[in-house]
Amino acid sequence: MPPDHTSRDVAYDYIVVGAGSAGCVLANRLSADPDASVLLLEAGPRDWHPFIHMPAGLAKLVGQKGVNWDYSTAPEPGLGDRELWWPRGKVLGGSSSINAMCYIRGVPSDYDDWAAGGATGWDWDTVLRYFKRSESNNRGGDALHGADGPLAVSDLRHVNPLSTVFIEAGEQAGFARNPDFNGPVQRGVGLYQVTQRDGVRCSSAAAYLAPIRDRPNLTVRTGANVSRITFEPGHDGGMRASGATYSARGQAFHVRATREVLLCGGAINSPQLLMLSGIGPADELRRHRIKVLHDAPAVGANLQDHLDICTLRHCTQRVTYDRVGDLRIAYDYYLRGHGGPGSSNIAEAGGFVRSRFAPDVRADIQFHFVPAMLDDHGRRRLPGDGYTLHACFLRPRSRGRIRLASNRASDKARIEANYLSDEEGFDLRMMVECAKLSRDILSQEAFDPYRGAPIFPARDDLTDAELADFIRAKAETVYHPVGTCRMGSGDDAVVDPSLRVRGVTGLRVVDASVMPALPGGNTNAPTIMIAERAADLILSGA
């Protein structure tokens, strides 16, 4: 029988902190053992909001602070001291409940590089089985895809005509058409497959948590803000994670973990919670009057993100999503049985290309095409009709860090992304290349019947120096922060290849923060894969 969670100090076998992309996976896999009790703590609410489940509702979720941590970076020196907005999911499903649903894994060499760098056991041949275990692809299973996993991966039910135009333009620019970015070859242009089931968003909460919510050995608490991991002396003379303190509905609670505490807060919250609990750079902890449990300089370091530059143009025909009203989309979506524009992920088409600066055969630039005008993450609406091409450099060299703002869990961490800070200036050169390739694709013949005046940048003839200024003024995150609890085999890593936090026992980190380096693409599918493999490691005692 599960413990009485109304008590102030109870025990569970596993405490999972964060019900996001990874936490929901762990809650499912660990509670499959009826003899193991699992507590899942989530700071945000349940995923009740209808815009979460209607895919096109993601455009409206931008302003829903109740399901968003609403982070901003510190002033970014490489971007004119702008403070960039970093939306992250604060709801069951985490960022998988508010993202654009693009299902992308990266390429095999991304994971082979992880393993070669010290993340032993995370090579492609090993992780592929966990990608397949998680996936239920509506095209069926094969050597690279799963057919019966919890996470639904589907072709789009509705495609705007401009998305097809983008693919045609990409071919005219010299890039091959690719029907499967997760197939044998990633490079090319095409339509994204999305994490949807029958036209409805399939977040990690919908995929992994909803089907098993009635398990008697699983307790889910929303509105639970964890402030500290607690420790006690372990059998080996060191310190063992023994539980967590959290607040909910104005009350404070302490819960104990008899086996393990599992941090799934993501690249911002996990390092913050480690530091608040005494694990992190000693000088940083002492500066905030936090007792040092374990001096771990790498906690919060190695922050990486995909910086994104958008090229916007007016459209001469009324075929974009700019003029489709929210109520009309919702009415049409439910009337059609989850079809029509409401089933669109908005970023329907895209591609992966290898630039002239690429050091190897991998694509180093990714595109997301949007048949609408998106400025400032869609928070600023522009008049008329238009289209947007996002482009990001997939393997940036700049590194940032997460620091504490105070010793209070209620204060947001300080995010120093340090975009465009690499000494060689290579990241800026690649961002200029992103803008130039975007301009080239949008100038192709396929767009001739639709091409209106340029919006951002305002001219088509900018020099490289002018494009660099444009990037510093307009580039934004494309929502892929990773790396702040890096895994590896050396003492300089935060977690070992089994994701156990170095310096203590009974504590693991399982989320995007453990990635040693960004994969070549979106990060949601790799995060779910990490949690699938972590469940096996935990259950096997590794």
Side-chain angles (χ1 to χ4, degrees):
M1 292 293 292
D4 175 13
H5 64 271
T6 61
S7 171
R8 290 298 183 90
D9 190 8
V10 297
Y12 297 82
D13 291 312
Y14 300 104
I15 297 173
V16 182
V17 180
S21 297
C24 290
V25 176
L26 291 185
N28 180 304
R29 298 306 191 189
L30 298 180
S31 66
D33 176 1
D35 294 327
S37 59
V38 179
L39 173 64
L40 179 61
L41 298 173
E42 168 56 40
R46 296 184 181 275
D47 54 341
W48 62 268
H49 202 293
F51 284 141
I52 290 176
H53 303 287
M54 182 179 76
L58 68 92
K60 298 298 293 182
L61 290 173
V62 168
Q64 296 291 329
K65 293 187 178 181
V67 298
N68 190 337
W69 283 98
D70 196 33
Y71 289 122
S72 291
T73 69
E76 286 293 323
L79 298 174
D81 285 330
R82 290 187 294 129
E83 297 180 7
L84 271 61
W85 187 54
W86 273 27
R88 309 304 301 158
K90 185 182 181 182
V91 61
L92 290 182
S95 294
S96 73
S97 287
I98 67 170
N99 69 0
M101 293 158 278
C102 298
Y103 182 79
I104 295 294
R105 300 172 174 175
V107 294
S109 54
D110 292 334
Y111 302 96
D112 290 340
D113 285 351
W114 286 10
T120 307
W122 293 88
D123 56 279
W124 174 250
D125 287 343
T126 301
V127 303
L128 175 58
R129 74 178 70 121
Y130 294 101
F131 277 119
K132 293 177 67 176
R133 174 192 289 183
S134 69
E135 182 186 15
S136 177
N137 198 299
N138 73 341
R139 299 180 186 176
D142 57 26
L144 293 174
H145 291 287
D148 54 5
L151 184 69
V153 177
S154 306
D155 294 315
L156 288 158
R157 284 190 161 196
H158 178 88
V159 177
N160 185 281
L162 278 177
S163 296
T164 302
V165 170
F166 166 79
I167 297 170
E168 294 172 357
E171 289 185 289
Q172 291 169 356
F175 307 118
R177 185 181 292 249
N178 189 344
D180 183 5
F181 297 132
N182 301 296
V185 176
Q186 184 191 56
R187 293 193 306 274
V189 292
L191 296 173
Y192 284 108
Q193 280 203 301
V194 290
T195 48
Q196 294 181 17
R197 177 179 285 113
D198 299 327
V200 179
R201 177 193 291 273
C202 187
S203 67
S204 65
Y208 286 89
L209 193 58
I212 53 96
R213 283 293 295 272
D214 60 349
R215 284 180 180 169
N217 61 329
L218 172 64
T219 300
V220 180
R221 300 215 70 183
T222 54
N225 292 279
V226 177
S227 57
R228 298 288 189 280
I229 304 303
T230 57
F231 295 86
E232 64 185 15
H235 297 303
D236 60 355
M239 299 302 290
R240 173 190 173 276
S242 58
T245 60
Y246 70 95
S247 60
R249 295 178 291 280
Q251 299 185 66
F253 297 86
H254 178 261
V255 285
R256 290 180 286 116
T258 60
R259 297 188 188 178
E260 295 193 46
V261 177
L262 308 164
L263 300 191
C264 303
I268 303 168
N269 291 21
S270 284
Q272 180 190 27
L273 187 55
L274 284 178
M275 287 187 280
L276 290 172
S277 304
I279 300 173
D283 291 344
E284 172 80 352
L285 303 187
R286 294 189 185 105
R287 185 165 67 91
H288 294 288
R289 299 179 181 177
I290 297 171
K291 182 180 178 181
V292 179
L293 181 70
H294 176 62
D295 181 12
V299 171
N302 194 47
L303 174 61
Q304 302 162 54
D305 184 35
H306 286 143
L307 188 64
D308 185 66
I309 189 63
C310 288
T311 301
L312 278 71
R313 294 199 75 102
H314 284 293
C315 184
T316 58
Q317 297 190 35
R318 296 186 175 185
V319 295
T320 74
Y321 290 140
D322 293 300
R323 293 182 180 270
V324 183
D326 301 325
L327 290 178
R328 176 183 165 189
I329 284 182
Y331 179 79
D332 184 65
Y333 174 73
Y334 289 107
L335 186 67
R336 292 193 184 190
H338 304 150
S343 65
S344 171
N345 73 325
I346 309 302
E348 298 166 349
F352 295 84
V353 303
R354 182 177 180 271
S355 79
R356 57 194 171 124
F357 300 116
D360 53 42
V361 298
R362 291 177 290 187
D364 56 351
I365 291 175
Q366 181 181 7
F367 296 111
H368 294 84
F369 178 77
V370 176
M373 293 181 289
L374 289 184
D375 187 32
D376 188 22
H377 308 272
R379 296 188 294 178
R380 190 166 80 93
R381 298 297 293 266
L382 302 176
D385 294 270
Y387 44 88
T388 304
L389 183 54
H390 296 252
C392 70
F393 172 37
L394 289 172
R395 294 178 182 84
R397 300 179 181 180
S398 300
R399 296 293 183 267
R401 62 181 180 176
I402 300 295
R403 304 184 68 186
L404 293 177
S406 75
N407 60 12
R408 296 183 297 271
S410 57
D411 291 339
K412 295 177 180 179
R414 179 178 172 87
I415 303 168
E416 299 175 355
N418 290 335
Y419 294 114
L420 307 182
S421 63
D422 62 305
E423 293 182 0
E424 303 86 0
F426 188 73
D427 288 358
L428 179 58
R429 186 189 315 163
M430 284 302 306
M431 292 304 297
V432 169
E433 190 73 3
C434 286
K436 293 171 73 173
L437 287 175
S438 296
R439 182 171 63 190
D440 183 48
I441 292 174
L442 296 183
S443 70
Q444 297 299 317
E445 182 181 352
F447 275 106
D448 287 354
Y450 306 93
R451 188 183 304 108
I455 304 172
F456 298 125
R459 299 191 344 255
D460 291 329
D461 59 350
L462 297 186
T463 65
D464 285 8
E466 290 172 321
L467 283 173
D469 290 339
F470 167 63
I471 287 159
R472 292 189 184 98
K474 292 295 291 183
E476 297 284 352
T477 177
V478 75
Y479 323 120
H480 299 158
V482 308
T484 50
C485 296
R486 181 180 66 86
M487 67 170 154
S489 299
D491 291 338
D492 58 341
V494 177
V495 300
D496 68 14
S498 292
L499 308 184
R500 297 171 296 197
V501 176
R502 295 186 180 278
V504 297
T505 59
L507 179 63
R508 302 191 204 223
V509 179
V510 183
D511 56 35
S513 72
V514 307
M515 297 183 188
L518 275 162
N522 310 70
T523 52
N524 183 244
T527 301
I528 290 172
M529 174 276 293
I530 287 170
E532 284 278 15
R533 183 161 191 266
D536 272 6
L537 293 170
I538 294 164
L539 292 171
S540 68

